[in-house]
Amino acid sequence: MQRLTNQVCLITGAANGIGLATAELFLREGAKVLLTDIDAEAGERQAHRLREQGLNALFQQLDVTCPQAWARAMETLRERWGVLDVLVNNAGMALLADVEKLTLEMWRKTLAVNLDGVFLGTQQGIAMMKARGGSIINVASIEGIIGEPLVPAYNASKGGVRIFSRSAAAHCARQGYAIRINNLCPGYVATPMIRDGLTGLPSEQAQAFQDYLGQRIPMGRLAQPEEIARAMLFLASEDSSYMTGSDLVLDGGYLAQ
């Protein structure tokens, strides 16, 4: 049995990485998916590829920091499918700079995408879902639980996502909306964000970081996006029906030691 049959889903940051893997899995589980991303060319290409496989995929460009863009995305859902059942706030970014080198511009840009975007999406999602319920999955990170010297803005943004989601989840439950809001907290995943971040480092520093991860992660490897997508499916489906305001950590054992 497909676990998301006829469920209407919106996924941000869906042109690649975790977002794209999640969109593909949801579609194969019977969902109708609006893929969104700031990268219109890549997003359209992926949605076209998925439609050619007979899957119910649609793409719309979305700048998650823009309230008007969110309103347009929700209007698209109303016109196309009428409802929203699952929202995945996945879009994110990371800029490498320690606290001494981080600029205010870098700080604000990171929080705008990673935290403001989640706030705007969650608020719009609640408005669409409160009459019939649904699931909102906010992608945080183990970096919202621990601190890493090279990503203080990312740490702050993901920590904010975790606490914000708890507040919103408690509100929805108390209001009787039947909306579940949970955090998915991946560790290090083999995605373009990780690859691009390493590319921006001097070669010796990039290699040292990769060696460090190989030793630091008990399972000895980065996660694959598809592994994270399967956890998304759990949070999106009725399998997690009694779970809200919680963190689901997938980190290969990183936080276990």
Side-chain angles (χ1 to χ4, degrees):
M1 180 182 294
Q2 293 181 313
R3 294 159 75 182
L4 295 179
T5 300
N6 292 324
Q7 295 284 289
V8 176
C9 308
L10 186 156
I11 302 172
T12 69
N16 57 57
I18 293 171
L20 178 57
T22 300
E24 292 202 44
L25 181 58
F26 282 15
L27 287 161
R28 297 189 192 287
E29 289 287 336
K32 306 166 186 177
V33 179
L34 177 62
L35 292 82
T36 70
D37 203 283
I38 193 69
D39 186 342
E41 182 179 352
E44 289 283 10
R45 183 171 63 250
Q46 295 295 349
H48 177 73
R49 176 180 65 83
L50 293 166
R51 284 195 299 272
E52 285 189 324
Q53 299 174 32
L55 300 171
N56 204 339
L58 182 68
F59 175 79
Q60 182 165 329
Q61 186 177 35
L62 173 60
D63 175 354
V64 296
T65 70
C66 176
Q68 293 78 20
W70 272 108
R72 289 192 295 270
M74 294 301 169
E75 186 59 30
T76 296
L77 288 174
R78 291 188 188 93
E79 292 177 355
R80 183 67 176 257
W81 294 309
V83 297
L84 173 63
D85 298 297
V86 179
L87 169 63
V88 179
N89 284 310
N90 167 72
M93 63 171 296
L95 297 173
L96 299 180
D98 63 42
V99 66
E100 294 186 90
K101 297 182 179 67
L102 186 71
T103 66
L104 183 58
E105 181 183 7
M106 295 166 70
W107 171 272
R108 287 176 171 168
K109 183 175 182 179
T110 302
L111 266 69
V113 174
N114 294 356
L115 188 53
D116 294 357
V118 169
F119 159 68
L120 291 170
T122 300
Q123 190 175 64
Q124 292 276 355
I126 290 170
M128 279 280 285
M129 293 176 174
K130 64 183 181 181
R132 50 180 273 150
S135 174
I136 297 175
I137 305 165
N138 292 332
V139 179
S141 170
I142 62 168
E143 299 294 347
I145 302 172
I146 59 172
E148 294 282 5
L150 281 177
V151 287
Y154 189 78
N155 289 146
S157 68
K158 294 301 186 178
V161 168
R162 290 180 61 236
I163 300 303
F164 165 72
S165 296
R166 281 168 162 72
S167 174
H171 168 78
C172 288
R174 294 293 187 186
Q175 293 296 316
Y177 289 160
I179 300 172
R180 298 180 295 104
I181 304 176
N182 291 291
N183 294 308
L184 186 61
C185 300
Y188 288 91
V189 186
T191 65
M193 187 169 71
I194 292 290
R195 184 189 63 236
D196 294 346
L198 290 173
T199 300
L201 293 174
S203 58
E204 289 185 4
Q205 192 173 358
Q207 186 59 54
F209 185 67
Q210 292 182 70
D211 293 343
Y212 162 76
L213 288 181
Q215 297 169 4
R216 181 67 174 80
I217 300 171
M219 291 183 70
R221 64 175 178 85
L222 275 62
Q224 293 301 310
E226 294 75 16
E227 293 177 295
I228 309 303
R230 289 194 288 272
M232 295 276 204
L233 177 60
F234 167 71
L235 292 176
S237 75
E238 284 301 305
D239 289 350
S240 58
S241 60
Y242 194 61
M243 185 175 177
T244 195
S246 296
D247 295 336
L248 181 57
V249 176
L250 295 92
D251 66 352
Y254 193 100
L255 298 183
Q257 58 183 356

